[in-house]
Amino acid sequence: MRGLTSEEVSQRRAQGLVNDADVKTSRTYTDIFVKNAFTPFNIVLFILGILLLICEEPISAVSATGIIIVNILISTIQEMRAKRRLDKISLLTRPKVKVVRDGQQVEVDQNDVVKDDVVLLEAGDQAVVDGVIEECKSLEMDESLLTGESSTVRKKAGDTIYSGSNCVTGQAYYTVTSFGADSYASQMLSSAKKFTSKKTPLQMETGTVTKMLMAIAAVLFIITIIKSIFITHESFSKTLEVFVLCLDVVPIALFLLITLTYMIAAMRMADSGVLLQRSSSVESISHVDTVCMDKTGTITTNKLRFEDSWDLISPVDAGHVISVFATSTGSRNRTVDALIEHYGETSSELLEEVQFSSDRKYSAVRVKDGDETYNIYMGAWTALGSHVRSEYDVPGYIEAQSKKGLRTVLICKGPDTPLHDADENPVIGEMEPVSVVSIRDEVRPDCRQTIQVFMDNGMDLKVISGDDPVTVDSLFTIAGIPGERKIVSGPELDAMSHEEFTKAALECNIFGRMRPENKEQVIETLKNNGHYVAMIGDGVNDVKSLKTAQVGVSLESGAGAARGVADMILIDDNFSALPKALVEGRRTVSGMRDILKLYLTRNFTLAVLFVIIYVLFGNIPMIPIQNTFYAFISVSIMAFFMTLFAKADENKDLILPDVLRYCIPSSIMIALFGLIVYGTAWYAVTSGSLVIDFDAMAQTIKFDGTGADLIAKLSWNGSGVEEIVARTAMVLFVTLAGLMQIFIICPRWRIFSVDGRTNKSLVPFVITLLILALVVTMYVYFPALAVEFIGFALLPNECYLAIVCFVALLMVLELFVLKRNVFKRIIDRFEAYYMRKLDEEYSEGDVVEERNADLKKMADLRNLKDLTDIPGIKDIKDQFKKN
């Protein structure tokens, strides 16, 4: 096969006849900036900021847009850095294409393939371009990704190879006819050409909460407009400040926060040896409670060597037959390589062949060896044993070898008969045993420690292998892996009833002699019984199970088809990196849960304060710059570090219901105490028990004016001293109360824990002390910043002490309310409304299965007897029946 010449390749490149099907796994740099900067909320805030500048309110303008600009810069820079690093790493796992040029076989990137290139396709490869077969040998293709048909398709010269199909057995040379937009797969999936970012369940949950708060903000907007025009007759600039506060009720940065957190976690995992093919896999792996894996690349290193043989004919004749088979077969796997290394090569004429597949569990050749023509079979005893005529106890010998941790293959010789029937289906004739060859797997030195990490994190491990289950069990013993082991084989599973199969899938942890269909059925059974499954595989035989599992994991050295459908890839086949990634995923999502508690508590608190203070009393609860101070001190700084000290908890339930059960009562309590502080300070000033000397304050901060001028500057809409002092006291209170929430959300001691979980990290304490030191430093050393820029009044020391006491009292009562579930009725109603909205959110996307699983978790959480108790679940069941 000559292929194209270098000159012909250059001509086609010049003509643009080159594969342009560049798979976009991440956004472009321009897209990253545009998506981060020009969200609807950002645009509205930028417009308000410009209008405030026009109205000569620069501080309010900065507070309205400053934190957004910082968010845009940080998120854009972090995402670009993450994209650059992940793209570099992903280049290592991009599929290479073997082509023939100038008579030589070379490997090129998929984007370097040109029209009329001759491509070599071998077992385990995924076709990346369309073409017509020039010549092939025992070629079987899996086109299930394109057609949905699970059975393999035999191909012959002149047939078409479609991009997206996988080579199961055999090999072929085919000439490229079309690629990119002209390929069969691209035409079939033309509606999916653009890169789309599918929302994760957590993003959908937060989207639902965001829509609910948007509705609240919209109502507040309308009330503000009516109130300012017809009742209070506020100035345009003051109305704009109220609009800024209304808009901040909506958690505008939540999606950005989730995306950025997942991107950073994906970057950390890539550094540890796990490449995520989509960043949302961070969330998926956090839910994993069951890990299914083949022993190859996990327990063993995938390095095979010849150990022993039991020859059932003369050793010389047995060695010759084995050498002929190993030399002539097209199934050049590691087992065959080990045979060639030991027995050497012997030439013969290949007449017909059945290449190995995990479904058949055997391979065969019909050869002309000198003057003799005969068939040679190699495979598992379970596949060939029923066709073997022998007086020897072959099964007993195989079992004995398996107990030593050795894998065995049976070599048989048969008469010259066709290997396929009239319909081209493989057939097995009568045969005589030649030899039973024992092959040793090299056990990974870090296997025990790696598996121990899984077990320490409460994950159930199941080894699903094509080898003898006794061999796998022995390898566990050799590796020193602890725990009780229950064994079952594929043929035994095939003979079971549905109930027996389910019981075996749930209870057994070593599955041997498994066909691809068996693996898929076991994983499906685990999923149907409430488990969240990760599957580790590296071969074409693992593609179905990788797609079926919630999280598919492939080895870097695995088949292109396996890497193509996997959610993550283990770089350098580093199995020990996977448990670290699973723990990192749990830590990240647990951190996100805690961040959301902190974040949404502030949003709900602000909404309650706005409704009561502005709508009912006509005063703004805090001016925009004070709102920025509130957000920055109570949430932003702590949220930045929370994923670093978060505990890697199990995340089996929906996140937002747990968050809402915390946020709603906490925000009500904080707002209630904030109003008490506000009213107390107002009354103290009015009654004369609290006197603030604004003339002295003006001198302290070296203000250019009198005390009366300072009052005019600090008051909102001319409201006076009472409002300034009350607003200052309340903002300081809610800020400190919001910051102290970290000690309930991440409690070090059980007495502060609402659900029994604790976090022994000292980081929250250290960060809290640093934040408090920052605020105290501002008041002591930079009082002008507190007064002139943020708009606070300088209060007597006893007032600050009173605020601290109010915060301490709040924490005690808040813990009582949370532990006793005092607001249960309010929470239940809000949660029911939230679940209906979440059902609508899920209905907008093609996520029926995920929605069913998530809602089932909620049903389990509530101990419901029937899923139909949840609004919308009947529609899901009906849709499932249709699908």
Side-chain angles (χ1 to χ4, degrees):
M1 190 68 64
R2 184 183 68 86
L4 297 176
T5 65
S6 299
E7 184 179 348
E8 289 170 331
V9 171
S10 298
Q11 289 174 352
R12 282 161 175 74
R13 283 177 180 160
Q15 296 169 0
L17 301 176
V18 62
N19 183 26
D20 61 353
D22 186 18
V23 180
K24 295 183 179 179
T25 57
S26 61
R27 296 186 288 178
T28 64
Y29 290 115
T30 302
D31 193 36
I32 288 173
F33 175 75
V34 171
K35 291 290 176 64
N36 283 329
F38 299 106
T39 66
F41 285 108
N42 287 359
I43 292 171
V44 172
L45 283 173
F46 283 135
I47 293 172
L48 289 175
I50 293 170
L51 292 175
L52 284 168
L53 279 176
I54 294 172
C55 296
E56 299 182 352
E57 294 286 349
I59 295 178
S60 294
V62 169
S63 65
T65 59
I67 198 164
I68 294 297
I69 293 172
V70 172
N71 277 338
I72 291 170
L73 290 175
I74 293 174
S75 60
T76 301
I77 292 171
Q78 287 280 27
E79 193 169 347
M80 285 181 176
R81 285 180 58 198
K83 169 188 164 55
R84 186 165 59 250
R85 186 180 300 184
L86 293 176
D87 283 354
K88 284 180 180 178
I89 295 172
S90 66
L91 285 175
L92 300 175
T93 59
R94 275 174 69 97
K96 300 293 183 181
V97 182
K98 296 182 282 286
V99 298
V100 179
R101 292 176 180 173
D102 297 316
Q104 300 292 322
Q105 179 182 314
V106 294
E107 268 196 356
V108 300
D109 188 83
Q110 60 179 3
N111 286 350
D112 290 333
V113 177
V114 300
K115 191 172 184 181
D116 300 324
D117 250 333
V118 175
V119 176
L120 171 60
L121 198 64
E122 296 179 304
D125 292 343
Q126 184 175 46
V128 298
V129 290
D130 293 355
V132 176
I133 299 174
E134 299 295 334
E135 60 180 63
C136 65
K137 183 170 68 172
S138 303
L139 183 65
E140 295 183 38
M141 298 295 295
D142 176 7
E143 298 178 348
S144 60
L145 292 176
L146 303 175
T147 65
E149 179 58 49
S150 59
S151 58
T152 60
V153 180
R154 286 184 62 84
K155 297 281 187 176
K156 59 183 184 298
D159 286 349
T160 301
I161 297 291
Y162 298 110
S163 58
S165 59
N166 306 311
C167 180
V168 179
T169 65
Q171 67 175 32
Y173 289 95
Y174 73 97
T175 300
V176 176
T177 56
S178 57
F179 39 62
D182 297 326
S183 68
Y184 175 80
S186 293
Q187 291 176 0
M188 186 179 69
L189 302 172
S190 58
S191 62
K193 284 180 185 177
K194 283 189 176 181
F195 170 79
T196 56
S197 180
K198 181 181 176 181
K199 290 182 182 178
T200 69
L202 179 55
Q203 286 174 327
M204 291 184 182
E205 290 184 67
T206 53
T208 302
V209 173
T210 300
K211 288 179 180 179
M212 293 163 63
L213 289 171
M214 282 174 63
I216 294 173
V219 172
L220 296 179
F221 257 87
I222 295 171
I223 293 173
T224 299
I225 294 171
I226 295 173
K227 192 177 180 66
S228 63
I229 294 176
F230 299 105
I231 302 175
T232 58
H233 306 292
E234 295 159 0
S235 65
F236 183 61
S237 63
K238 297 303 179 185
T239 303
L240 289 177
E241 289 182 351
V242 178
F243 283 170
V244 171
L245 205 61
C246 281
L247 201 59
D248 205 53
V249 169
V250 182
I252 55 181
L254 266 186
F255 277 104
L256 176 65
L257 184 64
I258 294 170
T259 302
L260 185 59
T261 302
Y262 286 174
M263 185 69 74
I264 293 172
M267 195 164 57
R268 284 200 214 118
M269 291 181 189
D271 289 338
S272 67
V274 178
L275 174 65
L276 301 187
Q277 307 235 67
R278 53 187 180 91
S279 61
S280 59
S281 297
V282 173
E283 184 177 332
S284 300
I285 64 176
S286 73
H287 299 298
V288 170
D289 57 24
T290 304
V291 179
C292 299
M293 59 187 186
D294 194 348
K295 70 176 181 59
T296 305
T298 54
I299 301 173
T300 64
T301 62
N302 212 9
K303 295 177 181 177
L304 307 181
R305 62 181 178 85
F306 174 87
E307 180 72 15
D308 194 10
S309 68
W310 180 33
D311 297 324
L312 304 176
I313 60 177
S314 76
V316 174
D317 291 342
H320 177 76
V321 170
I322 295 172
S323 178
V324 168
F325 173 84
T327 306
S328 58
T329 182
S331 302
R332 292 299 296 266
N333 51 37
R334 291 179 175 87
T335 301
V336 174
D337 289 340
L339 295 179
I340 290 177
E341 183 180 353
H342 182 75
Y343 290 100
E345 298 188 33
T346 302
S347 61
S348 62
E349 182 183 352
L350 179 64
L351 303 177
E352 191 180 2
E353 179 180 19
V354 174
Q355 292 206 2
F356 177 83
S357 76
S358 297
D359 192 23
R360 287 190 288 267
K361 296 200 174 298
Y362 82 93
S363 56
V365 294
R366 185 161 66 92
V367 296
K368 185 176 182 182
D369 181 18
D371 296 330
E372 185 183 7
T373 300
Y374 55 90
N375 297 346
I376 309 175
Y377 300 84
M378 183 182 81
W381 173 259
T382 53
L384 302 178
S386 60
H387 303 275
V388 173
R389 300 190 303 270
S390 175
E391 58 186 18
Y392 299 103
D393 183 18
V394 176
Y397 177 80
I398 290 175
E399 183 177 359
Q401 295 297 91
S402 297
K403 288 180 179 178
K404 299 176 185 178
L406 300 173
R407 61 163 66 181
T408 55
V409 290
L410 177 66
I411 309 293
C412 298
K413 182 179 179 181
D416 177 18
T417 58
L419 298 179
H420 296 88
D421 60 19
D423 296 325
E424 293 294 316
N425 296 313
V427 294
I428 303 176
E430 294 297 315
M431 62 187 79
E432 301 285 345
V434 171
S435 181
V436 181
V437 179
S438 301
I439 306 291
R440 179 173 296 280
D441 266 344
E442 180 183 293
V443 176
R444 294 182 64 98
D446 60 350
C447 172
R448 187 182 187 282
Q449 292 83 355
T450 302
I451 289 179
Q452 189 64 50
V453 176
F454 285 119
M455 299 172 68
D456 290 344
N457 283 274
M459 298 180 194
D460 189 16
L461 247 67
K462 297 182 184 292
V463 178
I464 306 179
S465 174
D467 289 335
D468 192 310
V470 179
T471 302
V472 181
D473 181 44
S474 300
L475 287 171
F476 264 62
T477 302
I478 293 170
I481 299 171
E484 182 184 1
R485 298 192 282 274
K486 295 184 178 180
I487 304 172
V488 70
S489 68
E492 290 173 334
L493 289 174
D494 290 336
M496 291 181 181
S497 66
H498 175 72
E499 291 74 17
E500 292 171 333
F501 186 101
T502 300
K503 184 179 180 182
L506 295 174
E507 295 181 355
C508 295
N509 51 15
I510 294 180
F511 299 78
R513 297 297 181 203
M514 298 286 282
R515 294 179 291 107
E517 290 76 12
N518 296 138
K519 295 182 181 182
E520 186 180 13
Q521 290 166 359
V522 168
I523 291 174
E524 196 65 58
T525 300
L526 292 171
K527 287 170 58 181
N528 291 339
N529 282 272
H531 290 278
Y532 209 95
V533 184
M535 172 66 193
I536 310 169
D538 65 342
V540 175
N541 59 315
D542 296 317
V543 169
K544 291 181 179 179
S545 51
L546 287 171
K547 289 194 295 181
T548 302
Q550 279 106 335
V551 180
V553 184
S554 173
L555 305 181
E556 184 183 351
S557 65
R563 295 200 309 268
V565 300
D567 297 294
M568 58 184 67
I569 297 173
L570 300 182
I571 302 171
D572 296 328
D573 297 351
N574 184 12
F575 176 57
S576 62
L578 182 60
K580 298 175 186 175
L582 293 172
V583 172
E584 181 66 34
R586 285 187 173 186
R587 180 182 293 110
T588 299
V589 174
S590 296
M592 279 303 309
R593 179 193 60 220
D594 296 340
I595 289 172
L596 288 170
K597 287 181 179 180
L598 206 61
Y599 198 109
L600 291 179
T601 297
R602 191 196 79 87
N603 286 88
F604 282 116
T605 300
L606 182 61
V608 175
L609 292 175
F610 187 94
V611 168
I612 295 176
I613 296 178
Y614 179 75
V615 175
L616 297 183
F617 296 102
N619 293 319
I620 193 169
M622 58 190 76
I623 59 177
I625 190 63
Q626 291 171 342
N627 181 49
T628 301
F629 173 85
Y630 176 28
F632 185 72
I633 297 298
S634 66
V635 176
S636 299
I637 299 176
M638 188 65 72
F640 187 80
F641 295 98
M642 284 184 79
T643 54
L644 300 180
F645 60 78
K647 189 177 178 182
D649 296 322
E650 291 188 32
N651 297 292
K652 293 184 178 181
D653 304 317
L654 289 175
I655 292 177
L656 256 295
D658 177 54
V659 170
L660 293 176
R661 282 191 291 273
Y662 177 87
C663 292
I664 293 174
S666 296
S667 59
I668 291 174
M669 292 294 294
I670 294 172
L672 180 62
F673 268 75
L675 291 170
I676 293 173
V677 170
Y678 187 87
T680 302
W682 188 293
Y683 175 77
V685 174
T686 304
S687 64
S689 56
L690 176 61
V691 178
I692 305 296
D693 189 347
F694 278 88
D695 288 319
M697 191 187 307
Q699 292 177 2
T700 300
I701 66 173
K702 299 179 181 179
F703 179 68
D704 186 16
T706 64
D709 296 328
L710 184 59
I711 293 172
K713 176 181 175 62
L714 297 180
S715 64
W716 187 80
N717 209 25
S719 48
V721 175
E722 299 89 346
E723 189 273 333
I724 297 171
V725 174
R727 174 159 43 87
T728 298
M730 188 198 68
V731 173
L732 288 174
F733 169 80
V734 295
T735 301
L736 183 59
L739 180 61
M740 293 297 110
Q741 296 303 300
I742 192 66
F743 297 116
I744 300 178
I745 295 172
C746 299
R748 182 173 175 80
W749 297 283
R750 190 172 292 274
I751 191 173
F752 290 110
S753 177
V754 177
D755 53 13
R757 290 182 292 194
T758 58
N759 188 324
K760 298 301 181 181
S761 174
L762 287 172
V763 177
F765 284 88
V766 175
I767 296 174
T768 302
L769 289 175
L770 290 175
I771 294 173
L772 290 174
L774 180 67
V775 175
V776 172
T777 300
M778 178 188 69
Y779 262 93
V780 174
Y781 296 102
F782 307 99
L785 179 65
V787 177
E788 292 194 71
F789 186 73
I790 302 180
F792 288 146
L794 298 180
L795 306 177
N797 290 335
E798 54 267 25
C799 290
Y800 298 126
L801 180 61
I803 290 172
V804 171
C805 292
F806 266 104
V807 171
L809 180 60
L810 164 72
M811 297 287 284
V812 173
L813 292 178
E814 184 183 355
L815 276 171
F816 175 82
V817 167
L818 289 170
K819 289 183 177 182
R820 296 298 180 91
N821 204 6
V822 174
F823 293 101
K824 185 177 186 304
R825 288 189 177 181
I826 296 175
I827 296 171
D828 286 347
R829 289 185 179 181
F830 194 90
E831 189 175 312
Y833 176 75
Y834 163 78
M835 291 303 296
R836 288 196 297 271
K837 291 298 180 183
L838 179 61
D839 186 50
E840 294 172 6
E841 177 77 17
Y842 273 108
S843 299
E844 294 176 4
D846 183 21
V847 286
V848 177
E849 184 175 348
E850 290 92 334
R851 173 173 55 164
N852 188 33
D854 288 343
L855 291 177
K856 184 179 185 302
K857 291 174 189 174
M858 282 302 299
D860 294 339
L861 189 64
R862 294 171 170 178
N863 295 319
L864 297 177
K865 294 181 179 179
D866 191 284
L867 278 174
T868 53
D869 291 343
I870 297 178
I873 200 67
K874 185 177 184 300
D875 298 334
I876 299 172
K877 288 184 174 181
D878 294 339
Q879 192 168 351
F880 244 87
K881 291 176 181 178
K882 290 179 183 178
N883 292 340

